[in-house]
Amino acid sequence: MLRVAASSLALLALMAGPAPAQTRGAAPRAVEAPGATNRILAVVNGDVVTQAEVASRARLFALNSGVPVQPETLARLQPQVLRLLIDEKLRLQEVQRQRIAVTDNDIAEAVREIESRNGLPSGALRAQLRGAGVQPRVLYDQIRVQIGWGRLLRVALGPQAEVSEAEVRDAVAEHEARRGQTEYLVGEIFIPVDDPRVESEVRGFTEDVIGQLRRGSPFPVVATQFSQAQSALQGGDLGWVVPRELDSEVASIIERMPPGAVSNPIRVPGGYQIVTLRAKREAGSEQRSTMISVRQLFLPFATRLDPQNPTEQHRQMLERAQRLSSTLRGCEAMEQQPRTSDRPADPGPLRLEGLNPPPLRQMLASLPIGRASQPVISNDGILLLMVCEREQREAPRFTAEQARGQILRERVEVISRQLLRDLRRRAIIETRG
């Protein structure tokens, strides 16, 4: 039996780099839900949402998260996926009503960015989607709505898009006043409850999402797919926050969580919030950080691994990885190994304190320079890592530009929730079956 590292999917996602809709390596082909046809499930101001659209989005989630989707899982996902697609219809209708242009070139550029961040050659993303039974347009439609909604919100900001120098100075001063306080690096997933009659259903879906996260699905991927907060565009990342910047219930839980943990559903105004604590620190301590340079070698499996029933190729690949782990010395030797995947050998400089999951951070902190790690096994291959350099550096202080960006993000979040709430209230939505 081959043992799969529980956090390996998140680890591989991190080493490949975050992306708005991330895909990595070979993915399981999802099982088609019974009766997944073009049956109409909802009509949103005259536009339809079909069973096929819902099933396709569930398959896209499976590809992103590395979770095989069985018919019973599809059935559990359907109510929430349907609500997400209804909201996307509302967003797209408003984007079109206000004549916000999103061109095919915009979509192509976003796809190129996803491929670049994941070390994929041009065209590989489309091939991966088709290989998992997902039509590329499913992802393209999602990207189109994300881009259009972002542009619409910038227009909706109007005069609020201008942040005064006084506001910037106050934000910088407030950040400096944090020194000595505990800061928390937090990720969030927000799932709205718009109708009290479906609250138990939404909570059930929220618990399903938490179950997937605790089984290893990368938090940024799940947030991108299911969170209805604007932070979803950054994989749910809220950055470093102090408790007073969070909902009081969320703050009380964050203060008790160990790094790497995922919360239970938290009832907040408007819905449920899931949070993860990536790290914590004393404000001001970030003025020094550990930057590391690493090399990685990924050995892909020919077929997806069943840990209880590995094939001969799986065993051979593990034996090869173990030999390399014990014999490779120095980053030059690591770089000279034949490349058997599209993952970059050098993922670029990394800040050690910000790496997640915690086992990855701990491994890279203790790994001797120039020595290969033990094999990290996932369902689609084996990863070897090597630290080439560790360097203590002075981190830059909180800048005026960062303060301006933070203020704008907060304003955009407020406007986004208000506008979507208004669109739902005015919409004519008919759900069927």
Side-chain angles (χ1 to χ4, degrees), residues 115 177 224 236 295 370 387:
E115 291 176 331
T224 299
R295 299 295 182 270
V387 177

Side-chain angles (χ1 to χ4, degrees), residues 55-67 69 73 77 81 134 205 208-209 212 217-218 221-223 225-226:
S56 294
R57 179 59 63 86
R59 283 195 293 271
L60 179 60
F61 173 70
L63 174 61
N64 281 334
S65 62
V67 176
V69 176
T73 309
L77 285 172
V81 172
V134 179
F205 172 77
D208 280 346
V209 169
Q212 295 295 348
S217 294
V221 172
V222 179
Q225 289 294 311
F226 290 115

Side-chain angles (χ1 to χ4, degrees), residues 278-307:
R278 293 169 52 199
K280 61 181 178 180
R281 70 185 182 191
E282 180 181 302
S285 64
E286 74 276 14
Q287 297 310 310
R288 291 193 65 81
S289 61
T290 304
M291 300 300 296
I292 60 173
S293 170
V294 304
R295 299 295 182 270
Q296 62 179 348
L297 176 64
F298 185 69
L299 307 175
F301 292 140
T303 58
R304 191 167 179 81
L305 171 66
D306 175 357

